[in-house]
């Protein structure tokens, strides 16, 4: 038995399993039925996505307690799901982006 062929075959299987998202899809579908599955689903995500999903699930639970008519007039209601944070969400981020553009233009001109 050639150890290199075996290693190559195991690497191929490992790569195909890393690219397979069916397990995560299954956990996402079952997470609302069992808290153990929900924890397993959270553990399968990276840290930023895990934090977002936890906050989003808490938000959905809160929103589900109110009627749509009431939610439409609430200032804190942002839709059925929380929006994802981006770099340009606040004024300081936009100002720092403009500063970077100006600095790059200044450096190119010198």
């Amino acid at each position: 038995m050639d150890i290199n062929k075996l290693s190559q075959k195991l690497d191929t299987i490992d790569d195909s399993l890393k690219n397979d998202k069916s397990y995560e899809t299954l956990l996402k579908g079952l997470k609302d039925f069992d808290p153990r599955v929900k924890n397993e689903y959270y553990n399968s995500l990276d840290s930023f996505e895990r934090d977002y999903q936890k906050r989003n699930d808490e938000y959905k639970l809160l929103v589900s307690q109110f009627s749509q008519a009431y939610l439409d007039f609430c200032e804190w209601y942002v839709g059925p799901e929380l929006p994802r944070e981006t770099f340009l969400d606040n004024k300081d981020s936009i100002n720092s982006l403009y500063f970077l553009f100006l600095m790059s233009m200044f450096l190119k001109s010198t």
Side-chain angles (χ1 to χ4, degrees):
M1 180 170 226
D2 189 16
I3 196 79
N4 291 332
K5 284 185 180 180
L6 181 62
S7 175
Q8 189 177 28
K9 187 165 185 148
L10 287 174
D11 288 340
T12 306
I13 292 171
D14 186 43
D15 289 341
S16 69
L17 288 175
K18 285 180 183 176
N19 295 332
D20 187 15
K21 301 291 182 185
S22 62
Y23 180 68
E24 291 176 11
T25 306
L26 178 67
L27 287 177
K28 188 174 183 176
L30 295 175
K31 73 179 175 120
D32 296 328
F33 299 108
D34 189 359
R36 293 173 295 175
V37 175
K38 184 180 279 191
N39 287 333
E40 183 65 30
Y41 171 67
Y42 290 148
N43 290 335
S44 71
L45 302 172
D46 63 6
S47 63
F48 295 114
E49 184 67 20
R50 181 182 316 125
D51 292 340
Y52 170 76
Q53 287 298 331
K54 284 183 178 181
R55 285 187 286 126
N56 194 32
D57 288 344
E58 291 170 2
Y59 175 77
K60 285 180 183 178
L61 183 65
L62 175 69
V63 166
S64 69
Q65 299 171 4
F66 301 105
S67 70
Q68 186 63 40
Y70 176 77
L71 291 172
D72 289 338
F73 290 105
C74 290
E75 292 180 10
W76 54 267
Y77 182 68
V78 293
E81 292 191 355
L82 286 176
R84 295 188 182 269
E85 295 177 2
T86 62
F87 180 71
L88 301 175
D89 279 345
N90 60 27
K91 197 171 188 175
D92 292 335
S93 299
I94 295 172
N95 288 338
S96 49
L97 183 64
Y98 284 142
F99 177 73
L100 288 173
F101 286 144
L102 290 174
M103 289 302 291
S104 67
M105 288 180 7
F106 176 72
L107 290 175
K108 284 182 182 179
S109 66
T110 58

